[in-house]
Amino acid sequence: MLLGYEYISEADDESVRDAQRQALLDAGVSASHIYSDAGTEEDAVRPQLEACFNELNAGDWLIV
């Protein structure tokens, strides 16, 4: 299975978010398997990244 992860900084505009999501979709990641966090660069808490890691199984691919 393909899983995707995107991180959006509060400094990024909507075009950055759209470009990241589109790149994951173009790589074959299903929209339902994309995990996304947003925040500041100083913010070390990434709950969706943790959830993504917990979902990964042997043979899966993580696209970032």
Side-chain angles (χ1 to χ4, degrees), residues 15-61:
S15 66
V16 173
R17 167 178 254 150
D18 293 344
Q20 284 190 51
R21 179 153 301 249
Q22 191 58 53
L24 292 170
L25 294 170
D26 289 348
V29 180
S30 169
S32 63
H33 292 119
I34 295 175
Y35 294 80
S36 180
D37 283 314
T40 64
E41 291 186 20
E42 294 83 24
D43 186 11
V45 178
R46 306 242 187 330
Q48 289 298 300
L49 181 58
E50 287 295 321
C52 182
F53 285 154
N54 289 332
E55 187 69 26
L56 281 171
N57 294 301
D60 289 347
W61 287 79

